[in-house]
Amino acid sequence: MPRKTKSPNWFSIGLDAWALGAEAHTVIAMRMGTMAMGGPAAAREAERMFSEKVAANIALGMNLATGKLGSSPETILSGSIAHYSRRVSRNRRRLMK
């Protein structure tokens, strides 16, 4: 999803953010379907969702603190979108099985 450019521009960042939002919406809908059915699968999904969000936020914070995301607002934002996009894409693929 996110573009791999050396110097991201605000237009491409906006497109990447929009694409992330659309894909996240799909993942949310699939997770809601799983949880609406209840049972052990719903409990596992809720627990997984919570632990993934905590881990993703900690990892992003560490990347930001260590400078791995760059120093300009554009590279930081682009890197943050890419960080979450990878996780959302993995969840979409897993939930579609």
Side-chain angles (χ1 to χ4, degrees):
M1 275 227 265
R3 293 166 216 333
K4 304 288 188 216
T5 60
K6 287 188 175 194
S7 147
N9 62 58
W10 288 108
F11 183 75
S12 66
I13 292 170
L15 288 177
D16 290 343
W18 180 86
L20 172 60
E23 190 169 27
H25 182 348
T26 302
V27 170
I28 290 167
M30 288 189 281
R31 279 185 157 161
M32 297 267 309
T34 300
M35 288 192 251
M37 294 173 62
R44 280 191 308 274
E45 191 62 36
E47 184 178 323
R48 182 178 190 147
M49 180 176 60
F50 179 78
S51 63
E52 285 176 348
K53 288 182 186 314
V54 170
N57 287 324
I58 289 171
L60 182 64
M62 291 301 294
N63 288 343
L64 183 60
T66 58
K68 288 182 181 176
L69 296 177
S71 58
S72 74
E74 294 90 350
T75 58
I76 291 171
L77 187 53
S78 182
S80 298
I81 292 169
H83 173 82
Y84 286 118
S85 290
R86 286 188 295 275
R87 285 153 175 81
V88 170
S89 292
R90 279 195 305 251
N91 275 318
R92 182 186 47 77
R93 285 190 301 271
R94 177 182 59 82
L95 291 165
M96 288 182 75
K97 292 181 182 178

